[in-house]
Amino acid sequence: MMDESCPGKVEPILEILDSKWMLLLLFELFNGTKRFGELRRKLQPISPKTLTDRLRLLEEKGIVTRTLYPGVPLHVEYELTESGQGLQPIFAAMWTWTQQFGESLQERMDDRRMAP
Amino acid sequence: MMDESCPGKVEPILEILDSKWMLLLLFELFNGTKRFGELRRKLQPISPKTLTDRLRLLEEKGIVTRTLYPGVPLHVEYELTESGQGLQPIFAAMWTWTQQFGESLQERMDDRRMAP
DNA sequence: TGCATTAGTTTCAAAAAATGAACTATGGGA
DNA sequence: TCCCATAGTTCATTTTTTGAAACTAATGCA
C-alpha cells in the first residue's frame, strides 16, 4: 500500500488541504451548512477574496456545494458533499498523532548526533 | 472529538506537512534511512537549500534524526523517529480517501445550484 | 430616490516561499 | 599542489500567496 506510486496518489489531496485557512474552513463546515458571511465572521480576519478562493477550490474539487437562495437580500449556503464528509478520518488521524506525539513538538535541536 | 478546540490541535501538524516537497520527502524516508545526496537525487529538481530547510524543520519537530558519519568524504544519514513513523496512519487515511473519491477530483463547476 | 443587506469581484501592494548560482569545509590521494 | 566527493551555506532574484481597500449587483422598502 505504501508503495512507490503512493506519493502521487496522496498529493492531490495535499493540494487541497495545504493552503492557509483551509483547515479552519473545513472544520466550520463539518459543523453543518454555513453561509458566506457566517464563515467570514468565524474565520476573522480572513479577507473575502481569500475566502472566495478557498470555497471555489473546494467547489471545483467536489468537496462542497454552493446553493444560491434568491430573494432580498440573497444568500448562499455552503455544504460538504459526501467526499467532503469523507475527509474526517484524515483529521481524526492527525488528531490521534497530535495526542501521541504533540508533546514533543517544542523546538529543540539537542539530539543531533555523530555516528558511534 | 471533533469539537471546537480541534482545529488548534491539528494545525501544528499541518504546518509540517504543508510545505512543498515535504510529502515526497517523508515518503522517501518511510522507505528507510537516506543520505542527503540520495534525497536530493530522488526529489529532483529540488534545490539543496529547500531540502536543507525541510530536513531542519523535521529535525526540530523531532520527526527525523540526523547522524553525521565523519571520514572522507563525510556523509550524513536521515532517519525517521518514532513520531515520524507515527505519521503513517495519516497518509493511509489520505490514500483511502483518494481511493474512494479521487475519481471525482477533475475540475468541474457544473453542479452549482439554485435553491428549489 | 437612495439606503440597506448579502455576496461577492477587482486591482494593486505586501509578504512569504522557492529557486539558482556560486561558494565553503573537510581531508585523502594522484 | 590541486582535485575529488560529500554536505551543505549565502545571497540575490523570482514566483507564489495573501491581503486591504474600494467597488459591483440585486432589489425591497422608507
Side-chain angles (χ1 to χ4, degrees), chain A residues 113-116, chain B residues 67-70 77:
Chain A
R113 61 194 186 187
M114 294 274 277
Chain B
T67 307
L68 173 66
Y69 292 80
E77 293 193 345

Side-chain angles (χ1 to χ4, degrees), chain B residues 74-89:
Chain B
L74 61 78
H75 77 271
V76 172
E77 293 193 345
Y78 291 93
E79 185 172 18
L80 290 178
T81 62
E82 197 191 344
S83 74
Q85 294 291 347
L87 293 169
Q88 291 224 21

Side-chain angles (χ1 to χ4, degrees), chain A residues 17-68:
Chain A
L17 300 181
D18 259 15
S19 36
K20 196 170 170 182
W21 302 110
M22 193 59 102
L23 259 192
L24 248 39
L25 176 53
L26 287 168
F27 270 103
E28 288 302 330
L29 293 169
F30 279 134
N31 289 326
T33 300
K34 292 275 185 309
R35 295 170 53 163
F36 185 87
E38 229 177 322
L39 292 168
R40 191 177 172 181
R41 277 188 298 278
K42 299 251 192 186
L43 301 194
Q44 261 172 346
I46 196 174
S47 71
K49 176 181 179 301
T50 305
L51 182 53
T52 305
D53 289 351
R54 293 302 166 279
L55 288 166
R56 290 293 171 278
L57 179 63
L58 293 177
E59 224 187 322
E60 279 171 17
K61 302 297 183 183
I63 288 169
V64 301
T65 54
R66 174 188 185 273
T67 307
L68 173 65

Side-chain angles (χ1 to χ4, degrees), chain B residues 2-71:
Chain B
M2 280 299 184
D3 63 11
E4 303 282 321
S5 62
C6 206
K9 286 189 180 160
V10 168
E11 276 203 293
I13 197 181
L14 264 266
E15 281 169 32
I16 298 168
L17 301 181
D18 260 16
S19 37
K20 195 169 172 184
W21 300 110
M22 193 58 103
L23 259 194
L24 247 40
L25 175 54
L26 286 168
F27 270 104
E28 288 301 331
L29 293 170
F30 279 134
N31 289 326
T33 299
K34 293 274 185 310
R35 296 170 52 163
F36 185 87
E38 229 176 324
L39 292 169
R40 188 177 174 182
R41 277 188 298 280
K42 299 251 191 183
L43 302 193
Q44 263 174 342
I46 196 174
S47 71
K49 176 179 182 303
T50 305
L51 181 53
T52 305
D53 288 351
R54 293 301 164 278
L55 288 167
R56 290 294 172 278
L57 179 63
L58 293 178
E59 223 187 323
E60 279 172 14
K61 301 297 180 183
I63 289 168
V64 300
T65 54
R66 174 186 184 276
T67 307
L68 173 66
Y69 292 80

